[in-house]
Amino acid sequence: MSCTQFVSNAQYPQIFFTQYNTQDGLSGNLCGQVIRDQKGYAWIATTNGLNRFDGYHFQVFRNIPGDSTSLSSNEIYYVHEDVAGNIWVSNDEIVSMLDKATNSFRHFENAPADDKSYSGGDAILFNDREGNLWLSSYGGGLNLFHLEDNSFSHFYPDNANRAGGKNLLGKLDEDGNGDLWIASREGLCSFSKSDSQFQFFAYKPEDKANYSFNNLSLSVYCDGSVDELVWYGTWGSGLHCYNKKNGRNPGLPIQPRRPCKSHQHCF
C-alpha cells in the first residue's frame, strides 16, 4: 500500500509516496479497497484480513477459527462505512458489520427461509443522500438494509429468473433525482426508488448512436452536471458517457490515443 503527499510549486505539484507493507504491520501486500472513516482512520481490505491505520500503527482484524464474532474470512476486497459510522466488509457472499465498541463482527448471509435476510452474493455497499445503505449484489440483485431491525428488502431486476445475468450487479451511484445507476453483467441500468423499477440500457448493434457499448459494465459515476451525464466503464469497450436529457451517447466511447487492448477495461 502507498500513501501520497502533495507539495505544490509554481507549475506542477510534486507527489511523494510512502510505502507500507507487511514489514510495517500491514496484514497483507495484496490490497483491495481503501477508505477513510469519519474519524480519520484508514481502513484497508487485504487478502489476509482487514486493517485499520491511524497513520502510525496497523490494527488487524482476521478470522479466528471457532470465534463467530471474528471475520468470516481473511480474504477481503471491499470495505465501507455507513452514515452511522459502522464499518462493513463483503466477502464469500457474506456481509459483515463491525461493532467498534467491542471489535466484533455481526454477519449477514442468505437464509432461504427468511425473506428479510441478505439475498446473498458478493456485495458493493453504497450510502445514498438520505442515509440509506444499499447493497448491490453480484447474484442477489439490490438490497436495502434496515438498521432498526437488521433486516433487508430485496429488489430483483429479473424476479422471474433470479439466477439470470440481470441480477449480477456491481458498482453504483446516485443521480440528482435520487435514482440509482448500477453497473451490471447485462449493461448499465437505473433503479427508481419511487416505484422500485429497473431500466436497462443494453447493447443494441442496430442502434450504435444510443447504445455503443457492450453489456458488461464495471463502474458508474453520476457527475451532477447540467447535462446529467452518467459515466460508466466497460470490460473491453472502454469508457462511455450517457446523457440522461436526450437519452444518447454524446459521441463516445472515450478511446485511448494509442489503441491497446488493456486500455479498454475501465474499472
Side-chain angles (χ1 to χ4, degrees), residues 215-226:
N215 282 346
L216 182 50
S217 299
L218 302 176
S219 58
V220 61
Y221 171 69
C222 302
D223 69 6
S225 65
V226 175

Side-chain angles (χ1 to χ4, degrees), residues 13 20 24 29 40 49 54 60 80 83 96 128 138-139 164 186 199 210 222 227 229-230 233 236-237 241 252 265:
Y20 298 93
D24 303 296
N29 288 333
D54 62 7
V60 178
H80 179 81
V83 294
S96 304
D128 68 15
Y138 198 77
E186 295 296 324
Q199 181 180 1
N210 286 336
C222 302
D227 291 329
L229 301 178
V230 179
S237 186
C241 182
L252 300 173
H265 308 322

Side-chain angles (χ1 to χ4, degrees), residues 22 34 66 70 90 95 106 121 131:
T22 53
V34 180
S70 68
S90 170
V95 289
R106 175 167 185 157

